[in-house]
Amino acid sequence: MDDFLLEFFPAVYAKKQRVKEDNYCKYDNQFVQLFTSSLYLAALVSSFLASKVCSKYGAKLTIFIASIFYWIGADLNAAAINLTMLIIGRIILGVGVGFGNEAFPLLLYEIAPVNCRGPINIVFQLFVTIGIFCANMVNYFVSNIHPMGWRLALGLDVVPATILFFGSFVIPETPTSFIKLGELQKGRTQLENIRGTEDVDAEFNQLVVACQLAHQVKNPFKKLTKPTSQPPLIIAILLQVFQQFTGINALIFYSPVLFQTVGFKDDASLLLSVIIGIVNVISTLVSIKTVIKFSRRVLLLQACWQMFITQSVIGGILFAHLNGTNSLGRGEAIAVVLLVCLYVLSFAWSWGPLGWSIPVETFPLETRTVGYAFAARTNMLFTFIIAHTFLSMMCHMRAGIFFFFAAWILVMGIFVLFLLPETKDISIDEMGEIVWKQHWFWKRYMVDDDDKNSYEKQIDDRQAV
């Protein structure tokens, strides 16, 4: 929004108004990127503390803390009078994201019935996309309120923060949290309330045994470094890296910038962002059905092909028709918008939800919290990297930025084809025997720790002789 640029980024506003300014570089500014990316760096750092709070005190308190940080950050952003105040507000919002991202998925996983965990995780992703859509709608409708529209856009964050604040008093603590604290009767009562039946003996006993096994692991991080824990850890981390190098967050964050680059005006760019948000929501809704019907690998591979083609064609159109100072023709510009919609469509029913649900499906209980924390922190780190570099990359690589992401998508497809096992309809207890020990690559990690130690001792003895 021009009023926002005039207030905090006057140099960017001046570049934007120049007729001959390079299309690819008019938003290339480190402080603009810092405004966007600082939230994710703060989320990364705060997640370490959030993990400890969630493990020790449960999800309810963690979510309550997240809502307080959201509230403070939104108020600071709306009242900002200089860039420092603005970025501090973003950092505080980022702390809220760090606490929220730690608590929400684990809460859902521990409450959901086993057969519903995949769809429930996608519902979580669905509401993320609804949030993005709502944000785009707010931006569009307040963009013509001068000069305070940007304050409304940032200040309305207090609405979801307020809902979250009161919701943290309403949501149930998970049965697993009570069992971990040794309050077995409370855990059983909570499980009966959530399931709506007293016939929970089998599930309750499984939770008790799982928690006892997890409690025996004094150092889950050390357990995570064992060879048998490496396959789910490596896959969880790589899924988060690849999820960001599809380019999705660069597109979501900077879609108005992209659409202005190809020739649309300010209002049209914001409206097109709303359309992208609608596509995102609809395709995530579709994924609730597809994740039940199709295998994880099929969905991910299909999406790789669709994203590779759309990114490559967008890059080709921009390379052929958009130089530093012109605008795309109407036909080419509409083609770019349609291709972006197809790209978002494929991501939202595959890499978006599955990037989060597959790690939760593969980590055993004793390392799930710390393993999931690794995945979440990897996601935040690479979200920060993409958010902080995309505008500069677009300035220097120009249309080549889309070929850059397309190349990464090709690598992702190869990874899924050869290294990602199928996890659909396989319980945690069966992962070792059915998945890891049968996989051509990961089975080498499945040597029992005692056997491995004995083997290494034999090698040491031989070397000593």
Side-chain angles (χ1 to χ4, degrees), residues 82 89 96 99 150 163 183 418:
N82 54 50
F99 274 78
W150 65 269
I163 295 170
E183 299 180 13
F418 293 104

Side-chain angles (χ1 to χ4, degrees), residues 36-52 70 90-102 237 240 356 370 372-386:
T36 304
S37 65
S38 57
L39 184 150
Y40 297 95
L41 184 60
L44 170 64
V45 174
S46 65
S47 66
F48 290 90
L49 175 60
S51 178
K52 292 183 180 298
Y70 287 141
R90 287 286 286 182
I91 290 172
I92 292 173
L93 280 171
V95 175
V97 170
F99 274 78
N101 263 22
E102 199 70 36
I237 289 173
Q240 301 306 316
W356 292 107
V370 67
Y372 187 86
F374 264 94
R377 288 161 193 166
T378 302
N379 183 279
M380 289 300 162
L381 174 62
F382 282 87
T383 302
F384 165 75
I385 291 170
I386 293 294

Side-chain angles (χ1 to χ4, degrees), residues 203-361:
E203 185 176 2
F204 178 73
N205 291 333
Q206 286 178 352
L207 288 176
V208 171
V209 171
C211 288
Q212 288 173 346
L213 291 173
H215 185 69
Q216 292 172 10
V217 180
K218 301 300 182 183
N219 189 338
F221 175 77
K222 185 177 180 181
K223 173 73 174 177
L224 202 62
T225 62
K226 299 290 185 182
T228 52
S229 299
Q230 294 299 295
L233 178 63
I234 293 170
I235 286 173
I237 289 173
L238 287 179
L239 282 174
Q240 301 306 316
V241 174
F242 290 147
Q243 191 185 73
Q244 294 312 307
F245 277 96
T246 61
I248 186 65
N249 273 336
L251 186 71
I252 295 295
F253 297 155
Y254 299 117
S255 55
V257 174
L258 173 64
F259 293 136
Q260 285 183 29
T261 296
V262 302
F264 293 99
K265 300 302 180 185
D266 289 2
D267 287 352
S269 297
L270 290 171
L271 180 59
L272 289 171
S273 296
V274 172
I275 293 172
I276 295 299
I278 293 171
V279 171
N280 202 8
V281 172
I282 292 173
S283 51
T284 307
L285 273 170
V286 171
S287 72
I288 296 174
K289 291 290 186 182
T290 57
V291 76
I292 296 173
K293 187 174 182 180
F294 299 105
S295 77
R296 311 290 191 250
R297 282 164 47 85
V298 166
L299 288 172
L300 293 174
L301 286 170
Q302 185 280 328
C304 282
W305 282 111
Q306 191 168 328
M307 290 189 294
F308 177 79
I309 292 170
T310 51
Q311 288 274 29
S312 299
V313 176
I314 290 171
I317 291 173
L318 298 188
F319 181 80
H321 299 286
L322 186 71
N323 57 38
T325 56
N326 73 329
S327 295
L328 287 183
R330 181 176 178 82
E332 290 89 354
I334 291 173
V336 168
V337 173
L338 292 175
L339 287 165
V340 168
C341 288
L342 286 172
Y343 163 80
V344 171
L345 191 78
S346 59
F347 176 88
W349 67 39
S350 58
W351 285 88
L354 293 179
W356 292 107
S357 63
I358 290 175
V360 175
E361 292 172 349

